[in-house]
Amino acid sequence: SLLLPPHTPRPAMVISIACIGAGYVGGPTCAVIALKGGENVRVTVVDVNEARIAAWNSDNLPIYEPGLEEIVKQCRGKNLFFSTDVAQAIKDSELIFVSVNTPTKTYGMGKGSAADVKYIESCARSIAEHAQSPKVVIEKSTVPARTAETLDRILRCNSRAGIEFEILSNPEFLAEGTAIADLLNPDRVLIGGPQTASGQVAVEKLASVYRHWVPTERIITTNTWSSELSKLAANAFLAQRVSSINAMSAICEATGADVTEVARAIGKDSRLGAKFLQAGVGFGGSCFQKDILNLCYLADSLNLPEVANYWRQVIILNDYQERRFSQRIIRCLFNTVSGKRIGVLGFAFKKNTGDTRESPSIYVCNYLLEEGAFLNIYDPKVSEMQIREDLKAAAAETSQRPADNVDKLVQVHSNAYDALRNVHAVVVLTEWDEFKELDFQRIYDTMLKPAYIFDGRILLDHKKLRAIGFDVEVIGKTVK
């Protein structure tokens, strides 16, 4: 063989990576891998949804995350590709991320709590059908504990003779709105794999991808089951903190305490820290509720009902917070919102994302619609189509004519001032920074009186609003 000249670096092997699923996890994760891996990686993100892939290949990406667009434009067509050809991506890759949706089941056994892993199984069968060489298959989706075992069995029962698979767990710990920052500077990267020689080789291959930018001491390796359960546990603990401070907010409102002061006081305790102590109308997003329900189902299936009931209470409290805030709006507006127009600021479940999955805004808006309110809604990143789809889906569970109600009672606006003109009340449901910069004197002048503001995110300057003339109602405190 031809020897390299002395002191010439040996060229690195290019690792071919596929990701099945071009959603909120797969897209950003692979974009950062491509950015940091450079010429050492070739990353292909595939999805059967042609419209989604077309969007990834356009100037209008299908999801919004600060910093994502710049990375995609820098890498796309060089070492980052988006395609609908799932079969070819499987054939060409060494590492395959499985990053498909695992929603809570809405049917059959485990309805309302178990994760629906049908898309995971579908991916496994596709990989088995098209793989022509050994593969490392990596769970990136949030999955029930021991899903790797299911993947392994499906792959081994359906693959060609002589083709070996290693199954790893590599859960994501991203917060929407800061996903790119989380990926570029992660607290930890968790890789779980079989405690076998071949399993550890697979773990090392995946770890080598992350080492392009993540310090080795932040790459944690465990067995597969610990990795899978750690993801559920992390989200359960975070959601628990949110429900805990929201429980305190109810006590604060009843006693005259200020939940922000309470949060600041307990957050100074080094054993607790200040993160996830921001009271609000409730938590949302694709993970918290789904993962806690999954954890409850797991505990029930292991005959641990006390454990399941403990974690279920976190969701019960979150539902209570959403309901309590909605009822407060109605109570303050003289016990009826029927025929009244209410301006809603924010529909995404948090700022800096267009994601509305499990958003508290859906629940609050649906509650007000059921009471006969007219809603003017503005969110800077959520489309009118998405807002209407979410509200119709929510209304379908409680109303006989959901489509009629939503189309008749809801208007979606492209700016805040139009949304808040001639309304009885303003309701803040997402903590977008731009809402703090609004000219509230201008808004007050166009509203019906008494003019109410309900701040569900403790976002605004309440003293200034009171000085203008607003009646101000805030989560977790009384404004006088």
Side-chain angles (χ1 to χ4, degrees):
S1 61
L2 184 65
L3 295 176
L4 292 172
H7 310 300
T8 301
R10 187 177 297 275
M13 293 288 290
V14 176
I15 297 180
S16 180
I17 300 169
C19 177
I20 303 176
Y24 280 90
V25 174
T29 299
C30 287
V32 170
I33 288 175
L35 176 72
K36 292 299 186 178
E39 62 184 12
N40 299 306
V41 298
R42 178 184 172 88
V43 185
T44 304
V45 182
V46 291
D47 201 296
V48 295
N49 186 323
E50 293 184 1
R52 178 175 293 172
I53 292 298
W56 278 111
N57 283 316
S58 74
D59 290 332
N60 186 22
L61 302 186
I63 64 174
Y64 172 75
E65 277 289 337
L68 174 61
E69 183 178 358
E70 293 82 357
I71 293 175
V72 170
K73 287 183 176 179
Q74 182 177 336
C75 300
R76 190 173 57 197
K78 298 173 184 175
N79 66 341
L80 175 64
F81 305 90
F82 298 93
S83 171
T84 57
D85 194 343
V86 178
Q88 192 62 49
I90 291 170
K91 291 173 185 175
D92 292 344
S93 62
E94 302 168 58
L95 304 180
I96 304 174
F97 286 106
V98 176
S99 187
V100 293
N101 196 17
T102 52
T104 302
K105 286 186 73 174
T106 57
Y107 58 90
M109 190 170 67
K111 176 182 177 180
S113 57
D116 191 342
V117 295
K118 64 183 179 183
Y119 301 118
I120 295 280
E121 180 177 339
S122 176
C123 285
R125 294 186 183 279
S126 292
I127 293 168
E129 178 184 357
H130 298 295
Q132 297 176 353
S133 58
K135 309 291 179 187
V136 177
V137 179
I138 305 150
E139 298 171 336
K140 200 67 181 171
S141 306
T142 303
V143 295
R146 304 196 80 87
T147 298
E149 200 171 65
T150 302
L151 275 172
D152 185 65
R153 186 166 186 199
I154 293 171
L155 288 167
R156 296 191 190 286
C157 288
N158 293 278
S159 61
R160 293 176 172 84
I163 296 180
E164 296 295 324
F165 298 95
E166 293 294 340
I167 315 299
L168 305 182
S169 169
N170 176 219
E172 52 83 17
F173 295 101
L174 309 179
E176 288 189 44
T178 60
I180 298 302
D182 296 340
L183 285 162
L184 292 172
N185 187 30
D187 293 329
R188 79 288 201 196
V189 171
L190 181 59
I191 303 174
Q195 304 301 293
T196 62
S198 59
Q200 292 306 295
V201 169
V203 167
E204 173 55 31
K205 177 172 278 193
L206 179 57
S208 72
V209 173
Y210 285 110
R211 282 198 201 98
H212 288 300
W213 79 98
V214 180
T216 299
E217 61 269 18
R218 293 193 194 176
I219 300 175
I220 303 171
T221 59
T222 68
N223 71 43
T224 311
W225 322 131
S226 295
S227 177
E228 289 179 335
L229 187 57
S230 293
K231 169 62 175 178
L232 298 182
N235 278 342
F237 275 59
L238 292 172
Q240 179 194 48
R241 282 177 69 95
V242 177
S243 281
S244 293
I245 197 63
N246 282 342
M248 293 305 302
S249 75
I251 296 175
C252 288
E253 290 168 27
T255 60
D258 183 335
V259 73
T260 57
E261 294 176 350
V262 173
R264 186 166 69 250
I266 63 177
K268 292 296 184 181
D269 189 324
S270 60
R271 297 168 299 175
L272 296 171
K275 292 184 177 180
F276 279 79
L277 290 179
Q278 175 68 37
V281 68
F283 60 72
S286 64
C287 290
F288 280 6
Q289 178 159 312
K290 179 187 74 172
D291 289 356
I292 292 177
L293 289 171
N294 194 350
L295 195 59
C296 293
Y297 183 76
L298 175 63
D300 280 330
S301 68
L302 296 172
N303 196 28
L304 300 170
E306 291 83 2
V307 175
N309 289 336
Y310 173 81
W311 287 111
R312 199 170 280 120
Q313 193 63 38
V314 174
I315 294 176
I316 291 172
L317 198 290
N318 195 60
D319 293 343
Y320 165 71
Q321 186 79 342
E322 295 170 343
R323 184 171 65 253
R324 192 172 70 84
F325 185 68
S326 304
Q327 291 171 345
R328 187 175 176 184
I329 295 170
I330 295 168
R331 187 169 61 251
C332 288
L333 293 179
F334 313 108
N335 291 312
T336 180
V337 293
S338 178
K340 295 177 180 176
R341 188 164 294 280
I342 297 173
V344 176
L345 291 178
F347 202 80
F349 83 91
K350 62 185 288 190
K351 71 175 182 178
N352 292 334
T353 180
D355 195 355
T356 63
R357 288 175 292 181
E358 301 295 341
S359 174
S361 302
I362 298 173
Y363 179 90
V364 174
C365 288
N366 186 54
Y367 198 99
L368 296 174
L369 289 172
E370 283 296 298
E371 293 288 329
F374 291 86
L375 301 183
N376 290 1
I377 301 174
Y378 166 68
D379 187 286
K381 290 297 178 183
V382 182
S383 69
E384 177 173 356
M385 181 179 71
Q386 186 66 56
I387 291 171
R388 292 190 180 279
E389 282 181 5
D390 287 339
L391 291 177
K392 288 178 180 179
E397 300 178 7
T398 55
S399 173
Q400 297 299 312
R401 296 180 300 146
D404 290 350
N405 272 350
V406 171
D407 289 337
K408 180 175 69 174
L409 299 176
V410 174
Q411 292 183 12
V412 180
H413 294 266
S414 59
N415 71 79
Y417 294 109
D418 286 347
L420 303 183
R421 185 177 293 116
N422 296 324
V423 298
H424 289 79
V426 176
V427 181
V428 179
L429 295 177
T430 310
E431 68 280 19
W432 287 103
D433 291 335
E434 69 176 71
F435 297 159
K436 294 186 287 187
E437 308 303 322
L438 293 173
D439 182 347
F440 280 98
Q441 181 67 61
R442 173 183 170 187
I443 291 166
Y444 178 82
D445 291 343
T446 69
M447 288 178 63
L448 281 71
K449 309 300 185 297
Y452 274 90
I453 283 188
F454 298 90
D455 189 350
R457 294 295 182 182
I458 319 182
L459 179 71
L460 305 176
D461 184 335
H462 304 128
K463 288 184 178 179
K464 183 177 179 181
L465 293 173
R466 286 284 294 171
I468 290 172
F470 284 101
D471 287 87
V472 182
E473 297 289 330
V474 187
I475 286 280
K477 64 178 178 179
T478 301
V479 177
K480 296 181 181 179

